[in-house]
Amino acid sequence: MSLPARTIAAIAFVAVAGIAGPASAAELVGQWPMTVVSGSADGVGGPITMQGVYSSVSGKVGSAIKFDFNSAASFGTVDTSAPFNPGTRNFAVSAYFTTPTVPSNAGYSPNIVQKGLYTSTGQWKMQLEATPGGTIAGCRFIGSGLPAGDLVNDGAGTRLDDGQWHRVTCWRVGGQYGITVDGTTTQRTRDLGNVSTSLPVRVGNKSAVAGVQDQFQGTLDCVAYADGSNPRPAAEAGVPC
């Protein structure tokens, strides 16, 4: 399969950035433009199989997916799993999206993209949080060094329910992990250890039996996943796509 132009640009960006950085450059392992054909969104790293209620709409670049909820969860599942288990490696996952306001009652925390669940021994997850000032983003991490998990919310409180496109990245580099929203970073210093789970990557919701509180009902343009010495710039350069 020939690489999309955005993928080539991202890889070129990483190669240039790597000249001044560590010898091991980051690699764009997954990139999904969220263009659905016959129930599947093709991309680097394997296709995403869709189910539930969703529609194809215009994205920032090309097509995007608008998710909905109609008595059952709507989500996509990446058909491959192992490449997105970072283990002890550095990694970053970026998403480019718009979102409506998340309800502030009943524990709403819509899932944008994730691998693993709250009960898993390993997880990385990007979600939305309702605050008095509007909808913000958070990243949750679970690893062998942090088995109880940690949710890192955007400390800048960047409001995402403003009708604009936003880039959010969840990442781990060395002994630090955190969230970057439109270029502003909130981070923690602690060794996550091994981050691994047999569960697949999913976008939009976590499972077929998940409720509306976990349902992302915004528009997702693109998701990118990178690992290596400096993965965050690679993942961020991969969206939108």
Side-chain angles (χ1 to χ4, degrees):
M1 181 181 70
S2 59
L3 295 178
R6 291 290 306 183
T7 301
I8 296 170
I11 293 172
F13 171 87
V14 174
V16 172
I19 292 174
S24 176
E27 179 183 3
L28 197 62
V29 181
Q31 185 189 48
W32 299 277
M34 306 309 293
T35 300
V36 179
V37 177
S38 300
S40 180
D42 199 10
V44 176
I48 297 179
T49 301
M50 303 298 303
Q51 67 182 76
V53 181
Y54 60 90
S55 55
S56 293
V57 297
S58 295
K60 181 70 173 181
V61 177
S63 297
I65 291 179
K66 169 71 171 64
F67 289 91
D68 204 346
F69 187 90
N70 183 14
S71 76
S74 302
F75 62 94
T77 302
V78 178
D79 291 352
T80 55
S81 176
F84 311 107
N85 277 333
T88 58
R89 300 188 305 278
N90 299 332
F91 71 94
V93 57
S94 293
Y96 206 76
F97 62 90
T98 67
T99 179
T101 300
V102 173
S104 59
N105 62 324
Y108 276 72
S109 56
N111 300 351
I112 300 171
V113 57
Q114 68 192 90
K115 193 176 196 300
L117 301 174
Y118 183 85
T119 55
S120 300
T121 56
Q123 182 192 49
W124 52 258
K125 174 186 176 184
M126 184 187 300
Q127 65 186 55
L128 300 177
E129 299 285 332
T131 75
T135 299
I136 67 170
C139 294
R140 181 169 174 79
F141 303 89
I142 299 174
S144 61
L146 198 63
D150 190 12
L151 174 62
V152 185
N153 285 331
D154 172 24
T158 304
R159 186 166 184 170
L160 304 179
D161 54 336
D162 59 356
Q164 304 300 310
W165 292 97
H166 295 276
R167 177 188 286 109
V168 177
T169 305
C170 302
W171 56 270
R172 185 264 297 278
V173 176
Q176 295 181 319
Y177 59 90
I179 182 171
T180 301
V181 180
D182 296 336
T184 299
T185 294
T186 304
Q187 65 187 38
R188 306 267 170 85
T189 300
R190 184 170 176 178
D191 184 8
L192 282 176
N194 190 316
V195 180
S196 182
T197 173
S198 60
L199 293 172
V201 175
R202 284 192 170 141
V203 297
N205 210 325
K206 63 183 182 182
S207 72
V209 297
V212 67
Q213 291 87 353
D214 289 313
Q215 182 67 57
F216 174 58
Q217 299 194 61
T219 300
L220 183 60
D221 177 279
C222 184
V223 175
Y225 178 96
D227 65 17
S229 62
N230 191 25
R232 197 175 81 200
E236 290 177 342
V239 301
C241 57

